[in-house]
Coordinates of all heavy atoms in Angstrom, one line a residue:
S56 N 20.2 -43.8 13.7 CA 21.6 -43.7 13.3 C 21.8 -43.1 12.0 O 22.9 -42.8 11.6 CB 22.2 -45.2 13.4 OG 21.5 -46.0 12.5
E59 N 20.5 -37.1 9.2 CA 21.4 -36.3 8.4 C 21.1 -34.9 8.5 O 19.9 -34.5 8.7 CB 21.4 -36.8 7.0 CG 21.9 -38.2 6.8 CD 21.8 -38.6 5.3 OE1 20.7 -38.7 4.8 OE2 22.8 -38.8 4.7
T70 N 15.4 -15.5 2.8 CA 15.1 -16.0 4.1 C 13.7 -16.7 4.2 O 13.6 -17.9 4.5 CB 15.1 -14.9 5.2 OG1 16.5 -14.4 5.2 CG2 14.8 -15.5 6.6
E74 N 13.2 -20.8 4.1 CA 12.7 -21.5 5.3 C 11.5 -22.4 5.0 O 11.4 -23.5 5.5 CB 12.3 -20.5 6.4 CG 13.5 -19.8 7.1 CD 13.1 -18.7 8.1 OE1 12.0 -18.2 8.0 OE2 14.0 -18.4 8.9
K79 N 9.3 -28.0 3.8 CA 8.7 -28.9 2.9 C 9.7 -30.1 2.6 O 9.3 -31.2 2.5 CB 8.4 -28.2 1.6 CG 7.3 -27.1 1.7 CD 5.9 -27.7 1.9 CE 4.9 -26.6 1.8 NZ 3.5 -27.1 2.1
V89 N 17.3 -29.5 7.8 CA 17.9 -28.5 6.9 C 18.2 -27.3 7.8 O 17.3 -26.7 8.4 CB 16.9 -28.1 5.8 CG1 17.5 -27.1 4.9 CG2 16.5 -29.3 5.0
N122 N 32.9 -15.9 -7.6 CA 34.0 -15.9 -6.7 C 34.2 -17.2 -6.0 O 35.4 -17.7 -5.9 CB 33.8 -14.8 -5.6 CG 33.9 -13.4 -6.2 OD1 34.5 -13.2 -7.3 ND2 33.3 -12.4 -5.5
A144 N 11.9 1.7 -1.2 CA 11.1 1.5 0.0 C 11.1 2.7 0.8 O 12.2 3.3 1.1 CB 11.6 0.3 0.8
V145 N 10.0 3.2 1.3 CA 9.9 4.4 2.2 C 9.0 4.0 3.3 O 8.2 3.1 3.2 CB 9.4 5.6 1.4 CG1 10.3 6.0 0.2 CG2 8.0 5.5 1.0
N149 N 5.7 8.1 4.7 CA 6.5 8.8 3.7 C 6.8 10.2 4.0 O 6.4 11.2 3.4 CB 5.7 8.7 2.3 CG 6.6 9.1 1.1 OD1 7.8 9.2 1.2 ND2 5.9 9.3 0.0
A151 N 9.3 12.1 3.7 CA 10.0 12.9 2.7 C 9.2 13.2 1.4 O 9.7 13.8 0.5 CB 11.3 12.3 2.3
P162 N 17.6 17.4 -1.6 CA 18.5 17.8 -0.6 C 18.0 17.3 0.8 O 16.8 17.3 1.1 CB 18.5 19.3 -0.6 CG 17.7 19.7 -1.8 CD 17.0 18.6 -2.3
R176 N 23.2 -3.8 -3.4 CA 23.8 -2.5 -3.6 C 24.4 -2.4 -5.1 O 24.3 -1.4 -5.7 CB 25.0 -2.3 -2.6 CG 25.8 -1.1 -2.8 CD 25.0 0.2 -2.8 NE 25.9 1.4 -3.0 CZ 26.6 2.0 -2.0 NH1 26.5 1.5 -0.8 NH2 27.3 3.0 -2.3
Q194 N 24.2 13.7 -6.3 CA 23.2 14.1 -5.3 C 22.6 13.0 -4.5 O 22.4 13.0 -3.3 CB 22.1 14.9 -6.0 CG 22.6 16.3 -6.6 CD 21.6 16.9 -7.4 OE1 20.7 16.3 -8.0 NE2 21.6 18.3 -7.5
A197 N 25.2 11.6 -2.1 CA 25.4 12.6 -1.0 C 24.4 12.4 0.1 O 24.6 12.8 1.2 CB 25.4 14.0 -1.6
E202 N 25.1 2.4 5.3 CA 25.3 1.2 4.5 C 25.2 0.0 5.3 O 26.0 -0.2 6.2 CB 26.7 1.3 3.8 CG 26.8 2.5 2.8 CD 28.2 2.6 2.2 OE1 29.2 2.7 3.0 OE2 28.3 2.5 1.0
V206 N 20.4 -6.8 2.7 CA 19.2 -6.1 2.3 C 18.1 -6.1 3.4 O 17.4 -5.1 3.5 CB 18.7 -6.7 1.0 CG1 18.2 -8.1 1.2 CG2 17.6 -5.8 0.4
T211 N 14.6 -3.2 7.4 CA 14.3 -3.0 8.8 C 14.4 -1.5 9.2 O 13.5 -0.9 9.9 CB 15.2 -3.8 9.7 OG1 15.0 -5.2 9.5 CG2 15.0 -3.5 11.2
D231 N 4.6 -9.5 6.7 CA 4.7 -9.1 8.1 C 5.1 -7.6 8.2 O 4.9 -7.1 9.3 CB 5.7 -10.0 8.8 CG 7.0 -10.0 8.1 OD1 7.1 -10.1 6.9 OD2 8.1 -9.9 8.9
K237 N 5.9 1.8 2.3 CA 5.3 2.1 1.1 C 6.3 1.9 -0.1 O 7.5 2.2 0.1 CB 4.9 3.6 1.1 CG 4.2 4.1 -0.2 CD 3.8 5.5 -0.1 CE 3.1 6.0 -1.4 NZ 2.7 7.4 -1.3
P252 N 21.8 -17.6 -8.5 CA 22.3 -18.9 -8.8 C 22.4 -19.8 -7.6 O 22.6 -19.3 -6.4 CB 23.7 -18.6 -9.4 CG 24.1 -17.3 -8.7 CD 22.8 -16.6 -8.4

Side-chain angles (χ1 to χ4, degrees):
S56 60
E59 296 178 293
T70 300
E74 286 178 341
K79 296 286 187 183
V89 182
N122 290 339
V145 302
N149 195 9
R176 172 61 179 277
Q194 291 172 336
E202 295 178 302
V206 68
T211 298
D231 58 316
K237 180 178 180 180

